[in-house]
Amino acid sequence: MNAVKSLSDDTECGRLEVHLVGGFKDDRQLSQKLTNQLLRAFDLLQDDVHLVTFCVTELNDREEKDNHFPIIYGIAVNVKTAEIFHATFPDRGPDEDLRSACILTGATMTNIYDAKTEQLHIGPFFWMPFPHVDFWLEQDDKQILQNLSTSPLAEPPHFVSHIRSTLMFLKEHPFPDLSLFPNRKPRLYKKSEDGLWERICLETM
């Protein structure tokens, strides 16, 4: 919220709006718990926040053969018109394996985008060697899906290949402080004129 407000210091009109989309009626009720945590966090804010879109849990759920699936997996926003629309993202940005490895090893979600500089700041991340990584790489798709997903039946088609790629990355980089972040500085990216992410060399800054 502070990041949004910092970009609106000179704005005298308008209001803070929240759009919540995602989750479904999963067996472990993780979506419901996360939704409750988010609503509680917004309720505790001193700012006047307006909940505009609320498409979560049972409101974003479809049932097929007694199994539950999300209706919407991803959304995008047109920042010029404020239009929200369903979207898929074949390109999930730079350092995907690195970012996924951080989450798979137990790190919490963090915001990597700096709106003021329009840059991605990735890392530095640190983890211990992933336990039994060779064992998991030997498992078939069904075992990976059943054991490394919170909702095996609802995962998108690319889930298993994504996890395998992340596991291989963890095998290749058991100590990221040595191989990826020897200077303990983040990996920086900025959009090029073509709209593609390009890495920024710290030496040139």
Side-chain angles (χ1 to χ4, degrees):
M1 189 62 68
N2 289 334
V4 174
K5 291 168 62 179
S6 68
L7 298 173
S8 308
D9 292 338
D10 299 327
T11 303
E12 297 180 357
C13 60
R15 65 181 189 177
L16 293 170
E17 296 183 345
V18 172
H19 301 267
L20 294 181
V21 180
F24 66 111
K25 293 177 66 175
D26 61 280
D27 294 336
R28 297 169 61 183
Q29 297 186 328
L30 295 177
S31 297
Q32 184 63 58
K33 293 176 182 177
L34 179 58
T35 298
N36 291 339
Q37 292 172 1
L38 287 170
L39 292 175
R40 177 61 175 168
F42 284 120
D43 186 52
L44 293 175
L45 290 175
Q46 295 183 353
D47 300 287
D48 188 14
V49 179
H50 298 260
L51 180 59
V52 179
T53 304
F54 191 72
C55 181
V56 298
T57 55
E58 64 269 16
L59 299 177
N60 186 45
D61 184 89
R62 65 180 178 86
E63 191 171 349
E64 181 179 323
K65 296 180 181 179
D66 296 326
N67 295 315
H68 291 269
F69 301 88
I71 298 173
I72 298 175
Y73 279 84
I75 63 169
V77 180
N78 186 325
V79 295
K80 293 182 178 180
T81 65
E83 175 192 7
I84 300 175
F85 53 94
H86 174 265
T88 57
F89 303 91
D91 180 5
R92 287 175 285 276
D95 285 336
E96 181 184 0
D97 285 336
L98 170 58
R99 292 182 284 117
S100 297
C102 184
I103 297 300
L104 196 59
T105 53
T108 57
M109 296 286 288
T110 58
N111 178 28
I112 62 172
Y113 182 66
D114 186 330
K116 285 190 173 181
T117 62
E118 298 182 339
Q119 295 178 357
L120 291 178
H121 292 221
I122 300 177
F125 300 135
F126 307 102
W127 56 72
M128 296 298 292
F130 194 78
H132 313 300
V133 64
D134 288 322
F135 167 82
W136 287 113
L137 284 169
E138 294 172 355
Q139 302 308 300
D140 58 28
D141 291 358
K142 182 179 179 181
Q143 288 298 321
I144 289 180
L145 193 60
Q146 290 293 327
N147 291 281
L148 297 181
S149 168
T150 57
S151 305
L153 293 175
E155 294 293 357
H158 69 273
F159 176 81
V160 172
S161 61
H162 168 70
I163 291 296
R164 286 192 185 280
S165 179
T166 303
L167 288 170
M168 183 58 67
F169 186 87
L170 285 167
K171 181 179 180 178
E172 293 172 351
H173 299 281
F175 300 100
D177 53 327
L178 301 178
S179 60
L180 299 170
F181 302 101
N183 297 323
R184 295 182 177 268
K185 293 182 180 180
R187 297 160 69 98
L188 305 181
Y189 292 87
K190 191 176 182 66
K191 281 286 185 75
S192 67
E193 294 182 357
D194 297 327
L196 302 176
W197 289 109
E198 292 183 342
R199 189 173 177 187
I200 302 172
C201 295
L202 292 176
E203 290 77 8
T204 64
M205 297 179 62

